[in-house]
Structures are given as C-alpha cells and as structure tokens.
Amino acid sequence: MYASEFEYYAPGTVAEAVALLGKYGDDAKVVSGSQSLVPMMKLRLSSLKHLVDLRKVPGLTGITESGGFVVVGGMTTHHAVSVSELVKKKLPMMAEAAGNIGDAQVRNLGTIGGSLAHADPSADWPAVLTALDATLVIASAGGERSVKIGDFILGPLTTVLQPAEILTQVRVPLPQGRYGGAYQKLPHPASRFAVVGVAAEMFLDAGGAVQSSRIAITGLGPKVSRASSVEQALQGKKPDAAALKAAAAKAADGIEIRDDLIGSAAYKANLAAVIAERVLARAVARATNR
Amino acid sequence: MASVTITVNGTPQTREIETRVLLVHFLRDTLGLTGTHVGCDTSQCGACTVTLDGMAVKSCSLFAVQADGRSVGTIEGVAKEGKLNAMQEGFWQEHGLQCGFCTPGMIMAACALIERNPKPTDHEVRVGLEGNMCRCTGYTNIVKAVQTAAAATAAGKR
Ligand SMILES: Cc1cc2nc3c(=O)[nH]c(=O)nc-3n(C[C@H](O)[C@H](O)[C@H](O)COP(=O)(O)OP(=O)(O)OC[C@H]3O[C@@H](n4cnc5c(N)ncnc54)[C@H](O)[C@@H]3O)c2cc1C
Ligand code: FES
Ligand code: FES
C-alpha cells in the first residue's frame, strides 16, 4: 500500500515544528511513532500533504520527577515508560499498561503523546491517565497551555488539539497518602488494543476505608469514561471482597455500549464488571501495602 | 523526492527516493535486500521486522525518510563472514521454521529480544515475539530456537 505524495520535514525545534504546522494548516500533521498515522496514510484515510516529523526535536522524550509530578515527554515511547524505574516504583499501573500495548515492535516506536493525540476509543493511555488525573502540556506558536486529561478527548479520534499544536508533556501528579493503582485489559487477540480496559487509582484513609477513587474505562464507549457509579459505591466503604464486587458490578452504568464484531453490549458490560473487580482488588492491595 | 543516507548493516547508503517509500520498500526495492519480507503490510505480522538504531521495528510501519541518518539492521547483516550467528544456528538446530517466510523477521526480533533479556523464560520469549506471526511451526520450536541461541550466546560470553 502506498501513501499519497507528501513533503517531509524534520525540524529541530518545537518553534519550527509549530511554524510548519501553522503554515500548512489542515494539510499538515506531525508524526511521532508512526504506528497509527502511517497505517492511516497507507490506507489513504489520511491524505496529508506535509508531514512534520518530531524525531529531531530535543526535549520531547524522557521521564523525570519534578515538583510533585512525574513528567513524561510527549515523544516518550511506550517501551521507555514500561522499563522506567521511576514509573515502576511510583506509578506501577503506567508501566503495566505501557508494557502491554501492542507488541515489542509497536512499543519501540509508538509514543504516549501520539496515542493521546490519536484518541482511539480502545487505547490504553486515556484510561490510565484519567485514573491518574494527568495534565497535558500543549505547545503552539503562542506559547503553552495545559489541559486536564478529562477535557482533552472529545470523541473517537478527536481531541481539543488544534492543527498547529503539539503535545509536549504528560504531567502526572504523584499521589499522596495511602494510594494504589492498577490497570488491566482484555486484549483483542489480533491488535492487542483493549476490548475493555479498566484503570483504578484508590486512596484509603487511616482506618483502611476508601477515601476516594478514580476509575476509568476504555473500550466501551466512543471515548474513555469515568466509572462514577463505581467510585460512588466505594466511597467510605471498607474495601472487602463483597464491597468491591458490588461496586464493580456498576462498571458499565451510564455508558452507551454498542454491539460490534468483538462482542455484544451485554458481553462487554459483563466483561467490564469482571475486569473492574480484579483491578479494584489489586489497587486496594497496593494501597494497603504502601 | 528526498535524499536520504541510511546506514544499512554498517554501510551508509545514499539514495534519492520518494518520501512515501516505506522503509521496507527502500530495503527490498531500492537496495535489493529482499531478505526482509512483506507479509501483511498492515503492521500485524512482523515479517518485515528490522532493527532501527538497535530496536526491533516493523519496517512497513514507517517511511524510509524517517530513518535518514540512522542505522538499520536486516537479516542480510546477521551472519558474519559466512558464519551463521547464534540465533540463526538456533533456528537451524531446533527446526524453528518450516516455510521460512516469517523467519527473517523472527530472527531480527529474537536477536533484539535476547540482547535486552539474555536469559528469558519461555513465557518471556512468547510475549517478546508477540509481534511476529508464524503460520507453520506452532511456535514451539521457535521458542526452543531462541532458548538455544540464548544459551549459546551466554556460553560464548563466559
Ligand atoms: C499492531 C498494533 C497494535 C497496537 N496495539 C495497541 C494497544 O494495545 N493499545 C494502544 O493503546 N495502542 C495500540 N496501538 C497504537 C499505538 O499505541 C500507537 O503508538 C499510538 O496510537 C500512536 O502513537 P504514535 O507515536 O505511533 O503516533 P503517530 O502514529 O506518529 O501519530 C498518531 C496521531 O497523533 C498525532 N500526533 C503524534 N504525536 C503528536 C504530538 N506529540 N502532538 C500532537 N499530535 C501528535 C499525529 O499527527 C497523528 O494524527 C497499536 C498499534 C499497532 C500498529
Ligand atoms: S509486513 Fe510489516 S508487519 Fe506484516
Ligand atoms: S515458518 Fe512458515 S510462517 Fe513461519
């Protein structure tokens, strides 16, 4: 399969990159890991005329801790996140999710920023970063703006990113207190995308009851959803097996699920409850042991 | 059109190419290195796996211009002076192939795998090669081949 013809640029700074994007508008796109964009170009689902490669822009990769945040560069690969000692220690669910995206070759090229910008409704990062309450830093010719993950994705393959903007950083606040997070998905047998994936970050109070939680589900709806009914059901409860099961049963509440080739809406709703129960149990165990 | 210089198996190769030429087509059609195979052309099968700056990637999933100034390794560069490397030897000994179509990609992915993880468990080999499909072997002998190669490499380094 051959993409249609395009001009290729590999600028050396964010400023140059956004200038190119500004100049060519809707005819231009940035490329990071290529794992979603190049297939779309080959299928002619995208027929951009100007391709702006970010690979030579310094400072867009790497993972650091600063001012109470883990800061992940937008061009950081899934592989780099999965093996980061900092991530494994402080935010293990991020490493867990990153290490199960696609396969080794996809993880070696694919990036966290590319995944968020692509906004596939079955992608893993949106759920994980929603549970972790991440903030995204977006650069344009006018400077930088920050957008909460909850305000970033609008729908399938649609985000608030403007044509001349680049996602430069993912900032994850380091949770405080007795916290624990976990992520799990049922991978589609061919693509490894999530049929359903559940991410949970739980906070326990001194007595061991649930102080608060953030739970997010990918794969069910047109975009990642917060499982607010589960969060509410857990609030103030002792997180024993019965409480977790009862709360997890509400995982798909309020989410409009469609039947598709992968399974019926009823199947996916049940799957969400089953995965949610397991994820909650692991998050609680991590919080209890912290 | 664009001018690219890509170091392939240690030798810099400079060519004028269309920007939309995929890395796999650059290797096969421009350079004539047909050891890298195209199975699916949709990033699924891994037959086109090569290394890009030492990392296993699917060469049908990026354009050659994106590899400008970088190093690519293909199956043609694995044997040194006519001598199979440990992974090729492992596939040979353990009968890790039948038709051989997946083999170049398998070997490139497997070499990168044992470089990162010199003593993988069988499970780690299977997970590590998830991006490579084989229609013939049922994978059992591929896992054995990788383990044989890993053991031989470890013994060689001692
Ligand atoms: C076989 C296969 C299996 C996969 N399995 C999974 C899976 O299990 N789970 C999962 O979540 N994903 C999966 N993916 C998708 C993968 O995670 C991609 O890496 C990701 O969707 C896109 O990231 P990228 O860096 O490759 O982006 P690209 O393909 O380079 O770009 C994708 C889009 O994002 C835009 N973009 C890229 N970077 C930026 C930036 N910094 N700022 C603004 N816009 C940007 C591009 O313009 C483009 O529109 C899979 C892909 C393949 C091929
Ligand atoms: S040909 Fe590239 S993954 Fe199949
Ligand atoms: S040996 Fe035939 S596809 Fe693997």
Side-chain angles (χ1 to χ4, degrees):
Chain A
M1 290 179 291
Y2 297 90
S4 52
E5 289 176 42
F6 59 86
E7 289 293 323
Y8 174 79
Y9 313 83
T13 62
V14 171
E16 277 177 67
V18 294
L20 284 164
L21 294 172
K23 183 167 167 195
Y24 298 114
D26 285 340
D27 283 338
K29 257 187 186 295
V30 296
V31 65
S32 293
S34 323
Q35 299 304 286
S36 296
L37 184 57
V38 174
M40 302 230 333
M41 291 172 71
K42 287 164 71 180
L43 292 166
R44 306 265 174 131
L45 293 171
S46 174
S47 50
L48 54 89
K49 299 201 171 57
H50 303 271
L51 188 64
V52 181
D53 195 339
L54 296 179
R55 71 187 167 97
K56 290 187 182 164
V57 178
L60 291 184
T61 59
I63 304 167
T64 51
E65 187 179 339
S66 110
F69 287 85
V70 169
V71 181
V72 185
M75 283 271 287
T76 309
T77 62
H78 308 317
H79 169 71
V81 178
S82 75
V83 298
S84 155
E85 289 304 325
L86 174 64
V87 171
K88 282 197 272 190
K89 187 160 155 246
K90 301 267 171 92
L91 302 164
M93 83 160 112
M94 273 183 84
E96 235 159 63
N100 287 297
I101 292 176
D103 51 54
Q105 290 95 317
V106 169
R107 293 191 291 274
N108 282 344
L109 286 180
T111 68
I112 191 167
S115 171
L116 290 167
H118 190 60
D120 190 293
S122 302
D124 298 303
W125 283 128
V128 170
L129 295 171
T130 300
L132 289 171
D133 199 24
T135 297
L136 313 180
V137 181
I138 296 169
S140 66
E144 275 185 359
R145 64 177 177 131
S146 292
V147 178
K148 284 286 223 182
I149 180 83
D151 301 323
F152 179 76
I153 297 174
L154 300 174
L157 312 189
T158 317
T159 69
V160 300
L161 277 175
Q162 297 300 307
E165 287 187 323
I166 291 174
L167 202 168
T168 54
Q169 277 184 359
V170 178
R171 297 172 64 85
V172 185
L174 277 171
Q176 302 292 326
R178 288 179 80 190
Y179 72 92
Y183 177 71
Q184 194 181 329
K185 67 176 167 182
L186 178 75
H188 183 280
S191 75
R192 321 308 286 173
F193 269 100
V195 172
V196 175
V198 181
E201 181 78 348
M202 313 266 294
F203 297 85
L204 305 183
D205 64 20
V210 179
Q211 196 169 55
S212 65
S213 61
R214 277 189 307 268
I215 298 157
I217 307 192
T218 188
L220 283 188
K223 61 172 188 168
V224 59
S225 355
R226 266 297 269 277
S228 340
S229 311
V230 182
E231 295 173 4
Q232 278 155 24
L234 289 168
Q235 189 79 36
K237 297 266 167 57
K238 281 266 183 244
D240 55 28
L244 297 185
K245 191 179 178 69
K250 300 174 190 292
D253 279 13
I255 303 174
E256 204 178 306
I257 314 174
R258 254 179 291 173
D259 300 331
D260 61 20
L261 285 175
I262 297 173
S264 66
Y267 166 77
K268 287 194 266 185
N270 184 57
L271 192 57
V274 171
I275 296 177
E277 188 182 344
R278 294 177 188 171
V279 164
L280 293 176
R282 282 179 41 229
V284 167
R286 280 184 174 153
T288 309
N289 294 332
R290 187 169 291 274
Chain B
M1 301 291 283
S3 173
V4 295
T5 301
I6 303 173
T7 299
V8 181
N9 301 327
T11 308
Q13 303 279 1
T14 302
R15 296 288 192 284
E16 281 286 314
I17 55 167
E18 272 191 88
T19 51
R20 60 180 176 158
V21 168
L22 294 168
L23 180 57
V24 68
H25 292 143
F26 177 78
L27 296 170
R28 290 179 55 85
D29 304 341
T30 309
L31 301 185
L33 295 173
T34 52
T36 302
H37 291 168
V38 179
C40 63
D41 201 10
T42 56
S43 323
Q44 304 291 330
C45 75
C48 65
T49 300
V50 300
T51 57
L52 179 64
D53 293 337
M55 310 272 272
V57 303
K58 294 173 183 171
S59 61
C60 74
S61 76
L62 75 163
F63 298 110
V65 283
Q66 296 177 273
D68 182 32
R70 303 167 85 176
S71 288
V72 171
T74 72
I75 189 68
E76 286 89 349
V78 172
K80 294 281 180 276
E81 288 153 16
K83 198 174 172 307
L84 299 185
N85 88 339
M87 191 58 68
Q88 292 170 309
E89 197 66 49
F91 272 71
W92 171 276
Q93 278 177 22
E94 302 297 341
H95 197 64
L97 62 148
Q98 287 175 29
C99 79
F101 193 85
C102 69
T103 314
M106 272 304 169
I107 287 182
M108 297 314 290
C111 288
L113 185 153
I114 66 165
E115 200 151 297
R116 244 179 220 176
N117 181 0
K119 276 184 82 177
T121 62
D122 285 0
H123 180 71
E124 285 167 346
V125 172
R126 286 178 184 274
V127 171
L129 296 179
E130 232 166 28
N132 295 74
M133 291 182 195
C134 177
R135 287 300 192 197
C136 302
T137 62
Y139 301 99
T140 301
N141 285 359
I142 291 178
V143 176
K144 282 191 204 158
V146 177
Q147 294 295 22
T148 299
T153 306
K157 281 195 180 137
R158 236 185 278 128

